[in-house]
Amino acid sequence: MSVQTGTKRLTTRDIQALKQRGEKIAMLTAYDHVTASLLDQSGIDILLVGDSLGNVVLGYETTLPVTLADMIRHAAAVQRGSTRAIVVCDLPFGTATDPETALRSAVAVLQETGCQAVKIEGGAAAVPTVARLVGQGIAVMAHIGLTPQAVHQLGGYYRHGKTDAEARILIEAAQALQAAGAFAIVLEMVVPELATEITGLLDIPTIGIGSGPGCAGQVLVINDLIGLGIQPAPSFAKPKADVAAIVRDAVTAYIADVKSPSEEPPLV
Ligand code: KIV
């Protein structure tokens, strides 16, 4: 007997159809059940369980310490919290170093979380890995430009594709990743004009972050969108709420209530 939820979950084909219809794709990160439920109810197209989990939730300086077990625990919660969005889980640092390692990691993610796709950081070097996973029926989102797992090798977080040579490398990588079967590709911190050009050259959707409005879709870290963080959000994020201030105010009011109880008898 099949379980009917009443809501049809989006597929990779639905996401690609959005680009074909000229409709923009909205993607946000989520790391937990309640946030995933709220974003899903709001109509988000793609929920990304990003390894930004490391910076945003676990308090690490980079994404490098995040493990496959961390990703699986959080992706399973996001999957349980959503019924409509397609859920994509990052393969974290060191778990996609070659096609066979990546295949084992992706199989574990899909089997243990129920999510629909994995994301792999990397340009031309990731092409054989993407092809291997796609060959096994796994939906893969690619990720080029700024790839935070390579922060130490790159020497920091900065915009990519500034020179003609860099632009050529990114264009060729994007085309090769599409040919390998990626269903979409994240362009992180890519020069906006170049991101627009890549979007026009590809059939698959590009999802931009800090790469200008010319991509087929946009992604943000949820905490940057809602102002829930200790550090200021990156300049491209344009927070739409100040949840950190709401939390501080509520907790300050609670502490005041506890420390100076009114005369009213407690309810319990
Ligand atoms: O880990 C992450 O949140 C990401 C997005 C920023 C694209 O990869």
Side-chain angles (χ1 to χ4, degrees):
M1 196 181 80
S2 66
V3 178
Q4 301 292 325
T5 60
T7 312
K8 188 183 159 299
R9 199 181 278 280
L10 297 179
T11 68
T12 53
R13 281 155 61 91
D14 295 321
I15 298 302
Q16 292 179 327
L18 289 175
K19 177 179 181 188
Q20 278 147 24
R21 292 203 298 271
E23 220 178 292
K24 295 281 185 179
I25 299 158
M27 169 162 137
L28 281 169
T29 67
Y31 315 100
D32 66 86
H33 182 269
V34 66
T35 310
S37 305
L38 295 173
L39 304 188
D40 198 55
Q41 287 162 16
S42 308
I44 199 76
D45 297 315
I46 307 178
L47 285 170
L48 171 67
V49 189
D51 62 356
S52 50
L53 171 76
N55 316 85
V56 175
V57 175
L58 301 179
Y60 296 127
E61 275 205 9
T62 70
T63 58
L64 275 63
V66 177
T67 65
L68 196 62
D70 291 332
M71 295 306 299
I72 287 174
R73 171 63 65 96
H74 287 267
V78 168
Q79 174 68 21
R80 286 192 294 272
S82 60
T83 58
R84 177 186 177 275
I86 180 168
V87 178
V88 180
C89 178
D90 257 334
L91 293 190
F93 180 66
T95 67
T97 45
D98 59 82
E100 297 314 312
T101 306
L103 182 58
R104 275 193 301 279
S105 306
V107 167
V109 166
L110 296 195
Q111 287 188 330
E112 295 177 40
T113 72
C115 79
Q116 289 74 53
V118 295
K119 178 164 78 59
I120 296 178
E121 290 186 12
V127 169
T129 298
V130 172
R132 178 78 174 113
L133 270 55
V134 171
Q136 290 301 306
I138 296 171
V140 181
M141 180 177 277
H143 181 158
I144 61 170
L146 171 60
T147 47
Q149 290 173 16
V151 59
H152 298 310
Q153 182 263 322
L154 293 172
Y157 300 99
Y158 53 85
R159 203 175 276 289
H160 287 249
K162 287 186 185 157
T163 65
D164 286 351
E166 273 179 28
R168 177 61 28 214
I169 288 169
L170 285 173
I171 289 170
E172 286 175 6
Q175 289 173 323
L177 289 161
Q178 169 173 277
F183 77 93
I185 181 164
V186 168
L187 303 182
E188 181 162 356
M189 294 288 285
V190 170
V191 171
E193 296 72 25
L194 176 61
T196 305
E197 184 184 347
I198 293 173
T199 303
L201 287 170
L202 298 185
D203 296 323
I204 61 171
T206 54
I207 314 282
I209 175 161
S211 300
C215 297
Q218 297 290 331
V219 57
L220 279 182
V221 167
I222 181 62
N223 296 61
D224 294 339
L225 177 71
I226 64 174
L228 178 58
I230 312 301
Q231 309 285 348
S235 57
F236 56 77
K238 302 192 178 56
K240 302 232 179 285
D242 190 354
V243 173
I246 294 171
V247 171
R248 278 193 210 100
D249 288 351
V251 174
T252 307
Y254 168 72
I255 293 170
D257 282 357
V258 171
K259 304 253 179 210
S260 319
S262 69
E263 296 307 308
E264 283 176 39
L267 288 175
V268 288

